[in-house]
Amino acid sequence: MTTKYSQQNSIRVRMAPSPTGRLHIGTARTALFNYLYAKKTGGAFVLRIEDTDVARSNPEFEKDILENLKWLGIAWDEGPDVGGPYAPYRQSERTASYRQYLEKLLEEQAAYWCFCTPEALEIERQTMQAEGKAPRYAGTCRQIKPEDAEKRRDAGERGVIRFKMPQNTATRIDDLIRGPIVFGSENFDDFVIAKSLDEPLYNFAVVIDDYDMQITHVIRGEDHITNTPKQYALIDALGFPHVAYAHLPLILGPDRSKMSKRHGSVALGEYREQGYLPEALLNFLAFLGWNPGTDEEILSNDQIIERFSIESIQKSGAIFDQQKLDWMNGMYIRQQGGSKRGPLLELIKPYIERAGFADAFNKYNFNDQSSILALVIERMKKISEFVELSEFFFKTPEYDRELLRWKNMTDEEIAKSLSETQKLLGAISDGNFTTERIDAALKTYAEHLKDKGSVFWPLRVALTGRKASPPPAAIAAVFGKLETLKRIQIAIDKLAS
Ligand code: GLU
């Protein structure tokens, strides 16, 4: 073993995504909790790709999973891309190991070949259901002698491999989150562990891999609980040491049903594309089923690691609160916007480009771009929202002349206010065209009119075409004198038309 993989202790955890879809937020949360536990304990975190379902697995999805986990800031010590002492880390490349253990189970008669046809199984299932019983395999092929099974296979009959699930017993799992859970064997039948010697199925492959990779703790979603007794029995049959289990609570939608596409995006990449920051998503995901036991909500990766423990993970479902995510993302955007505007502007650029504003955006220098960001950042919940909030900086706004009207001002009064504003701003020299100077000039005039709105409202609309915007003086300062006076003139012309 190289020093790269030596850890402070022997705790080894893994996450085992199936590349059958884009990285799911639930999978990302599972990855995060495994990562946190490994970091907290000085253990090793393994990423394993579970691609035994050949028909549904796709390298594109594997790429999406790896890329988005990395983007989130979750790093693994061993995996298909970084290698490690127990490589390969892709199940499709581990067939030899599975085959060896399948042969062992068959030899020891802990597993057997089953030749029941799908049609026969379907009839069996329907009969049981009609009798009001939970459908389970009747164990028909358990009786077949191994040598007879061999003969049938030699004669070309196809079969699957079933595991002899122990009968008349109960399995107790001491889940680190949920406490003891007892499973009666009556709920389990002789399940299929492989479709052939080279086609293992999930429950079997997991057990072999966890053993081969020396995994000590299995931290995964609650939806896997019913697989646990099956895996536990396989571990016993193979004589492997048991692992510890921690089943994470389900992620629920606001209606408390299991989170699904119905509730919004479930692919982490979609959140990334919509303009959520990795730090915010990581913080948010950590709180899906866990909290530090204080009222702290904004925590960095390191702070979360420091406060994390398996014992503080909750049993009950974790509600995915989109509003909270938006709030958190806004907090992170503002945190980054403070000292590090440059990196934030870089994140904004792709959205600007997509909206077709690249040229207009680049006409502003870095300082002005930063000023625009500063003007809208308070209202940004997502990076993508920058475009919507600041659009008027990049194109001449279109609006109805009626929007220029403040209260019951007449067209003449509005035009007069705008002309006066134009004159006052025109008198400020280019070099002094700052928010403060503009504000000072307009305030004196507004005081004279005794209604601030009659000056600032038409100006706001002239500059932005909107009812709500950052302060007009600040916008004018970014535009510069020429553009400001031009937009005021357009408004005056609108009134005259
Ligand atoms: N491949 C499984 C999944 O994507 C995970 C299996 C496990 O963690 O045991 O849900």
Side-chain angles (χ1 to χ4, degrees):
M1 210 199 281
T2 64
T3 48
K4 190 176 164 206
Y5 302 109
S6 68
Q7 307 287 331
Q8 291 162 27
N9 69 19
S10 54
I11 286 184
R12 292 178 56 82
V13 294
R14 86 312 191 261
M15 71 146 322
S18 306
T20 53
R22 297 188 73 184
L23 176 64
H24 192 281
I25 43 170
T27 311
R29 196 266 315 247
T30 301
L32 174 60
F33 282 34
N34 275 284
Y35 162 82
L36 292 172
Y37 189 58
K39 286 282 162 223
K40 180 79 194 190
T41 58
F45 175 38
V46 176
L47 177 83
R48 177 172 79 222
I49 294 294
E50 299 206 331
D51 55 353
T52 49
D53 188 341
V54 184
R56 290 177 60 223
S57 296
N58 182 332
E60 280 302 308
F61 292 140
E62 178 182 321
K63 196 165 155 248
D64 181 87
I65 293 168
L66 265 63
E67 266 181 23
N68 281 306
L69 284 174
K70 279 186 201 154
W71 173 79
L72 262 183
I74 296 178
W76 43 94
D77 304 297
E78 301 167 27
D81 55 339
V82 290
Y86 304 101
Y89 291 92
R90 217 175 262 118
Q91 288 190 327
S92 54
E93 295 164 19
R94 303 181 61 81
T95 323
S97 181
Y98 308 133
R99 190 181 175 109
Q100 174 201 330
Y101 288 111
L102 282 170
E103 282 169 344
K104 178 173 150 72
L105 288 177
L106 285 165
E107 212 167 283
E108 292 171 357
Q109 298 188 34
Y112 58 90
W113 286 97
C114 168
F115 301 99
C116 294
T117 61
E119 296 76 26
L121 291 172
E122 181 55 25
I123 293 171
E124 184 175 297
R125 199 183 65 82
Q126 282 177 8
T127 314
M128 288 196 172
Q129 258 177 346
E131 288 167 5
K133 293 183 193 151
R136 61 205 301 273
Y137 178 61
T140 320
C141 294
R142 234 190 208 232
Q143 285 38 275
I144 301 174
K145 290 203 190 84
E147 54 274 24
D148 291 340
E150 237 11 76
K151 276 186 210 140
R152 288 172 72 164
R153 291 198 342 107
D154 287 346
E157 202 172 339
R158 276 192 63 86
V160 296
I161 304 172
R162 286 187 186 270
F163 176 62
K164 276 189 191 165
M165 191 67 178
Q167 296 170 341
N168 304 317
T169 178
T171 307
R172 176 182 154 144
I173 314 279
D174 287 307
D175 190 278
L176 295 173
I177 297 169
R178 317 181 68 80
I181 316 173
V182 179
F183 301 90
S185 60
E186 66 282 5
N187 298 313
F188 298 92
D189 60 2
D190 290 351
F191 57 97
V192 180
I193 53 175
K195 290 196 275 183
S196 74
L197 286 169
D198 295 319
E199 294 169 288
L201 292 179
Y202 161 70
N203 277 305
F204 176 74
V206 161
V207 165
I208 306 304
D209 288 340
D210 286 347
Y211 172 68
D212 279 351
M213 297 177 183
Q214 310 258 310
I215 298 303
T216 57
H217 292 67
V218 167
I219 304 172
R220 62 183 171 195
E222 191 188 293
D223 43 340
H224 283 293
I225 282 193
T226 50
N227 289 322
T228 305
K230 297 182 188 176
Q231 294 172 12
Y232 200 92
L234 274 168
I235 288 172
D236 274 342
L238 289 158
F240 294 164
H242 281 289
V243 293
Y245 293 97
H247 286 96
L248 305 173
L250 287 181
I251 301 177
L252 309 176
D255 60 357
R256 303 199 72 90
S257 68
K258 192 176 167 190
M259 174 85 178
S260 71
K261 278 190 192 141
R262 208 158 45 81
H263 299 107
S265 302
V266 288
L268 190 106
E270 284 180 27
Y271 289 91
R272 177 181 179 179
E273 284 142 22
Q274 285 167 28
Y276 289 92
L277 295 175
E279 298 83 354
L281 271 167
L282 188 116
N283 192 158
F284 177 75
L285 289 174
F287 277 73
L288 285 179
W290 172 84
N291 68 71
T294 62
D295 49 16
E296 297 166 301
E297 287 191 292
I298 301 291
L299 293 173
S300 68
N301 193 340
D302 285 346
Q303 289 171 319
I304 296 169
I305 293 170
E306 207 177 288
R307 290 158 179 71
F308 184 79
S309 72
I310 288 199
E311 294 71 42
S312 50
I313 298 173
Q314 74 197 39
K315 280 194 214 117
S316 55
I319 298 195
F320 191 98
D321 181 347
Q322 179 77 46
Q323 277 176 356
K324 181 166 175 185
L325 171 60
D326 286 352
W327 168 80
M328 236 178 213
N329 202 48
M331 296 293 278
Y332 276 90
I333 288 176
R334 284 183 281 288
Q335 223 173 58
Q336 299 216 353
S339 55
K340 304 181 278 183
R341 288 234 166 109
L344 203 52
L345 283 171
E346 284 308 312
L347 293 179
I348 284 168
K349 275 183 188 160
Y351 296 98
I352 292 280
E353 276 162 24
R354 223 168 293 154
F357 294 144
D359 289 343
F361 182 74
N362 290 328
K363 280 198 189 118
Y364 290 102
N365 62 26
F366 177 75
N367 275 343
D368 284 341
Q369 290 174 352
S370 300
S371 303
I372 296 173
L373 178 58
L375 287 175
V376 300
I377 201 166
E378 279 306 318
R379 305 188 71 172
M380 278 169 71
K381 295 189 293 293
K382 297 182 227 175
I383 300 290
S384 53
E385 288 173 348
F386 175 82
V387 175
E388 219 282 302
L389 291 166
S390 64
E391 201 176 38
F392 52 85
F393 282 102
F394 314 117
K395 67 169 200 197
T396 313
E398 279 163 31
Y399 55 91
D400 192 284
R401 67 200 287 284
E402 264 315 299
L403 200 60
L404 290 162
R405 194 177 316 282
W406 173 249
K407 293 186 180 161
N408 338 322
M409 282 172 95
T410 62
D411 285 5
E412 292 70 31
E413 284 167 336
I414 305 168
K416 181 153 185 293
S417 161
L418 285 169
S419 313
E420 193 59 30
T421 299
Q422 209 178 23
K423 217 187 300 158
L424 287 166
L425 301 190
I428 304 174
S429 69
D430 281 328
N432 284 326
F433 207 72
T434 62
T435 308
E436 296 70 33
R437 285 293 183 98
I438 298 167
D439 231 1
L442 295 179
K443 267 193 185 131
T444 316
Y445 176 48
E447 272 158 27
H448 164 74
L449 289 186
K450 300 203 170 58
D451 183 359
K452 262 176 80 178
S454 55
V455 178
F456 287 95
W457 180 271
L459 176 61
R460 176 195 300 281
V461 175
L463 297 182
T464 68
R466 298 181 179 196
K467 287 184 197 164
S469 75
I475 295 171
V478 175
F479 279 155
K481 197 161 122 179
L482 198 67
E483 180 69 16
T484 302
L485 299 186
K486 190 180 115 196
R487 290 198 184 193
I488 297 174
Q489 189 56 47
I490 294 174
I492 294 170
D493 294 347
K494 249 187 211 287
L495 289 164
S497 65

